[in-house]
Amino acid sequence: MSGHSVHIKLDGRTYSGTFKVDRNFMTVTTPYGKKTVQVDKLQHAALAQRLLEELVRQEKARKGSLL
């Protein structure tokens, strides 16, 4: 994965991914998914952490998840 590294701590575990900003779109990528949102003047790192948390929570809710 290329881009900027992003990390969060959730339920006592650390999760990581990368984020890339291209024009007005930010994409956060993890081994179990990616999310793209339109951005303007938001802090990119804070938004990337929020998207990473959403991806982790979605994966944890998925039946059979190993997280």
Side-chain angles (χ1 to χ4, degrees):
M1 288 187 267
S2 63
H4 302 283
S5 185
V6 58
H7 307 276
I8 61 164
K9 198 163 216 167
L10 183 65
D11 299 329
R13 292 185 63 186
T14 300
Y15 298 92
S16 61
T18 59
F19 72 94
K20 215 163 51 166
V21 179
D22 183 22
R23 297 185 185 154
N24 290 341
F25 293 91
M26 172 190 285
T27 301
V28 174
T29 305
T30 69
Y32 33 86
K34 69 180 179 178
K35 282 193 173 242
T36 300
V37 296
Q38 190 168 2
V39 295
D40 49 16
K41 296 182 182 190
L42 292 175
Q43 291 181 323
H44 296 157
L47 179 57
Q49 287 176 331
R50 193 173 88 218
L51 293 175
L52 174 59
E53 182 175 344
E54 287 178 18
L55 286 164
V56 169
R57 288 187 186 279
Q58 287 173 356
E59 178 64 17
K60 289 180 94 163
R62 188 177 65 83
K63 186 173 181 167
S65 174
L66 299 176
L67 295 184

